[in-house]
Amino acid sequence: QLQLVESGGGLVQPGGSLRLSCAASKFTFDSYAIGWFRQAPGKEREGVSCINSAGSSLNYADSVKGRFTISRDNAKNTVYLQMNSLQPEDTAIYFCAARYSTCSALYARYDKWGQGTQVTVSS
C-alpha cells in the first residue's frame, strides 16, 4: 500500500547543504510518522530524525541537532530533511521509514521503508 521514495542525495563539500525528500504514494500519508535513518560504512543503522503525523513532535539524534531540520508537507505527501553544515561523518545512505502516528527511535517499529539515497560529504 504505502510506498516511500527518497530523493535529494548527492555529493557535497564539508560545510555544504542538501535537502532530502521522502515522497509517499497514498493519501493516508498524514496518518504516519516519518523517520530518517542512515547507514554508513563501519557503522550500525542509526536514527537521524523523525516527525510525527501531526507535525507537532520533532526528534533529532544528538549528532545532528542544530544542523538538520525535519518538516512535512501533507498536501504534497512529502517529508523533508534539510541538512546544513554537512561533515564527512554524515556520509551514508539515508532511508526514510513510516509507522503509524508517533515516532520511535527503534527501526524495527517502522513498517515501510524507502530504497535509500546516497549522501556523500567529501573535500
Side-chain angles (χ1 to χ4, degrees):
Q1 292 182 331
L2 179 68
Q3 296 181 342
L4 303 175
V5 178
E6 302 95 335
S7 62
L11 175 65
V12 65
Q13 294 186 5
S17 297
L18 288 172
R19 188 180 73 165
L20 304 184
S21 297
C22 176
S25 61
K26 298 297 183 181
F27 69 90
T28 54
F29 177 75
D30 61 359
S31 297
Y32 292 88
I34 301 295
W36 287 96
F37 296 81
R38 65 187 182 187
Q39 179 76 57
K43 294 185 177 180
E44 299 294 326
R45 176 170 43 180
E46 64 174 337
V48 177
S49 186
C50 185
I51 186 167
N52 71 346
S53 61
S56 58
S57 180
L58 312 179
N59 303 95
Y60 300 96
D62 288 343
S63 60
V64 306
K65 286 180 180 177
R67 300 189 297 121
F68 291 11
T69 303
I70 193 169
S71 62
R72 68 189 300 153
D73 185 344
N74 289 342
K76 296 182 178 180
N77 283 3
T78 302
V79 165
Y80 304 98
L81 185 67
Q82 179 68 45
M83 305 187 297
N84 298 327
S85 301
L86 284 163
Q87 301 300 314
E89 303 82 66
D90 298 313
T91 295
I93 301 173
Y94 284 71
F95 301 89
C96 65
R99 69 185 303 272
Y100 180 70
S101 188
T102 57
C103 288
S104 175
L106 303 176
Y107 60 79
R109 294 187 176 179
Y110 290 80
D111 303 304
K112 299 292 183 180
W113 293 79
Q115 84 291 343
T117 185
Q118 177 71 48
V119 172
T120 302
V121 185
S122 176
S123 59

